[in-house]
Amino acid sequence: MSVKSDSLCLDKASKTISFSAPSNIAFIKYWGKKERQYPINPSLSMTLNTCLTRMSVSYRIDEINPGIKDFIFEEKNNLKFKVKIQNYLSSISDIYPLVNKLSLSLSSSNTFPHSAGIASSASAMAALACCLTQIEIEMNNLDGGHFERRASELARLASGSACRSIFPQFVCWGRDQYTKLGSNDYAETLKDISPVFLNLCDSILIVSKNVKSVSSSEGHRLMNGHSFKDARVEQAHENYRVLKNAMKIGDWECFGEILENEALTLHGLMMNSNPSYILLEPASLALIKAIRIARIESKIKMFFTIDAGPNIHLIYPKESQKEVLEFIEQKCSLLCEQVIHDEIGKGPKKY
Ligand code: PMV
């Protein structure tokens, strides 16, 4: 934490809660939403380990002047984030009435570049939701039995994919039309995973750290009225079913086929939305081609996925790490600004 929690204390009556929460990478993409931040299709992600947001929230009762007093991001006051979080808190006052009573000071920092297509909003909002849930437990003397479910719901209302960052390993969010299981309100840990997938790594090939030209919120909005919307929802349900089965039985090839199909579908949907937009860069395509060639020629066990940005996530099992790192060094490094090596993670931590 770059700013010491002590320096955030509003006065002696205030208390500070701190959590770190990871980013996550979606294998089945949440793309398009309805009503109150509900997804139009179920999604499935892997929680990361080292791409984290650390957040401290100092709070005290102040019913006359509630709200956010400061938001310090990476050691500097950040008015934009302060307004964003204040708007979020006002939007949840019906389900989190404590916001009408509390004066809050927030401080956060990331271990990875902000707005680079790595879901910084997911880790930040998950960390904030954990802090808010813990504050609620302490203020209302609750037993904390439903901590994760509550934190996931609060995170979802801030940024949909953040609800998955509350849980370790592999996480599902959204109602499954085949099994009728799963909730749109909060995410859950995916059970029944073959050991083949329990040591996955994610090397993030950062093609560009520039702020995205079209935000994810705008991308979700453009799915309303998209000519392929109904077909996409059907496809996502089917991919979700097939991927869960592949992860249960340890079918690596089927896993990879779905992974890459989801990534390219997401970007295909962007390219043919109205208006159309493209977040991939020439280097993103060059990397995709290099990955596919190396997979055939060198038999390296790796697949790619892509978030809403130009960066390529290389997904592979730990035992392939040596060959993958050599491949990155030889074929990818000139196309990337940076490479971040991450892996499957354990979820948020109180500190
Ligand atoms: O949670 P949001 O609103 O930032 O949307 C995230 C959308 C994707 O990252 C593209 C896909 C996903 O499921 O994380």
Side-chain angles (χ1 to χ4, degrees):
M1 201 61 219
S2 42
V3 175
K4 287 212 178 77
S5 328
D6 293 350
S7 64
L8 289 170
C9 289
L10 300 170
D11 62 25
K12 284 195 179 120
S14 75
K15 283 187 74 178
T16 301
I17 302 282
S18 303
F19 273 87
S20 67
S23 182
N24 70 79
I25 177 67
F27 292 168
I28 301 292
K29 310 292 180 184
Y30 148 56
W31 201 236
K33 55 181 160 183
K34 58 188 178 189
E35 299 150 27
R36 203 168 174 183
Q37 200 91 315
Y38 288 128
I40 61 170
N41 63 266
S43 57
L44 193 161
S45 60
M46 180 171 86
T47 296
L48 297 181
N49 194 38
T50 56
C51 288
L52 304 170
T53 297
R54 295 198 176 91
M55 171 112 33
S56 285
V57 179
S58 290
Y59 67 98
R60 70 174 159 79
I61 295 177
D62 186 347
E63 293 186 52
I64 296 163
N65 194 13
I68 300 189
K69 297 293 157 299
D70 312 287
F71 193 121
I72 295 163
F73 178 66
E74 317 245 293
E75 294 183 77
K76 289 196 192 99
N77 265 307
N78 191 312
L79 188 61
K80 194 174 135 210
F81 286 177
K82 180 180 168 187
V83 171
K84 189 175 166 192
I85 302 300
Q86 184 59 59
N87 289 342
Y88 159 64
L89 292 179
S90 307
S91 78
I92 57 165
S93 62
D94 56 338
I95 65 155
Y96 191 89
L98 277 176
V99 298
N100 299 321
K101 285 191 186 172
L102 295 177
S103 175
L104 303 159
S105 275
L106 285 70
S107 156
S108 85
S109 62
N110 288 342
T111 57
F112 57 97
H114 167 61
S115 290
I118 306 179
S120 59
S121 61
S123 54
M125 296 311 176
L128 175 62
C130 289
C131 293
L132 293 176
T133 305
Q134 187 61 32
I135 291 170
E136 186 176 52
I137 288 169
E138 294 187 7
M139 297 272 309
N140 295 342
N141 288 319
L142 304 174
D143 69 5
H146 293 287
F147 180 92
E148 287 172 331
R149 185 175 288 193
R150 177 67 167 156
S152 182
E153 189 182 15
L154 292 176
R156 181 198 104 236
L157 289 164
S159 166
S161 60
C163 74
R164 299 185 309 238
S165 279
I166 300 295
F167 299 89
Q169 297 192 334
F170 300 103
V171 186
C172 297
W173 170 39
R175 187 89 174 146
D176 179 338
Q177 75 181 14
Y178 295 111
T179 62
K180 308 285 179 225
L181 297 172
S183 170
N184 284 340
D185 287 287
Y186 50 82
E188 287 160 284
T189 299
L190 176 66
K191 300 196 182 84
D192 271 343
I193 313 282
S194 156
V196 169
F197 299 102
L198 290 178
N199 63 359
L200 285 188
C201 299
D202 176 6
S203 288
I204 310 168
L205 311 175
I206 310 269
V207 165
S208 165
K209 293 184 195 170
N210 292 342
V211 175
K212 289 180 280 187
S213 56
V214 177
S215 68
S216 289
S217 315
E218 182 59 9
H220 287 295
R221 202 185 61 74
L222 289 171
M223 281 305 287
N224 297 323
H226 195 294
S227 22
F228 296 153
K229 180 177 174 184
D230 293 346
R232 163 59 191 158
V233 172
E234 268 305 302
Q235 177 206 35
H237 275 278
E238 179 62 7
N239 278 350
Y240 183 67
R241 185 183 71 75
V242 175
L243 186 74
K244 282 201 297 184
N245 188 54
M247 292 180 74
K248 183 175 175 179
I249 63 174
D251 187 339
W252 176 253
E253 294 304 318
C254 176
F255 164 81
E257 203 178 296
I258 300 287
L259 209 65
E260 297 192 354
N261 175 264
E262 278 289 308
L264 297 175
T265 296
L266 173 71
H267 285 269
L269 289 166
M270 293 173 187
M271 288 183 211
N272 52 39
S273 353
N274 185 12
S276 155
Y277 65 105
I278 302 176
L279 297 184
L280 296 178
E281 294 290 340
S284 319
L285 293 179
L287 288 167
I288 290 171
K289 288 189 172 184
I291 292 163
R292 287 186 162 174
I293 290 170
R295 202 161 59 216
I296 294 167
E297 290 182 350
S298 317
K299 308 261 176 299
I300 306 177
K301 257 182 126 182
M302 60 181 173
F303 291 104
F304 67 82
T305 185
I306 319 171
D307 229 323
N311 306 321
I312 305 294
H313 291 246
L314 210 42
I315 307 292
Y316 54 93
K318 193 92 175 173
E319 58 270 18
S320 300
Q321 193 164 40
K322 188 168 166 287
E323 298 94 88
V324 173
L325 295 187
E326 271 166 25
F327 162 73
I328 293 175
E329 180 61 35
Q330 287 165 13
K331 305 279 182 198
C332 308
S333 41
L334 287 178
L335 295 163
C336 303
E337 282 186 17
Q338 189 186 349
V339 181
I340 295 176
H341 299 289
D342 209 335
E343 61 192 342
I344 188 166
K346 297 190 181 70
K349 254 207 266 164
K350 191 166 185 280
Y351 66 97

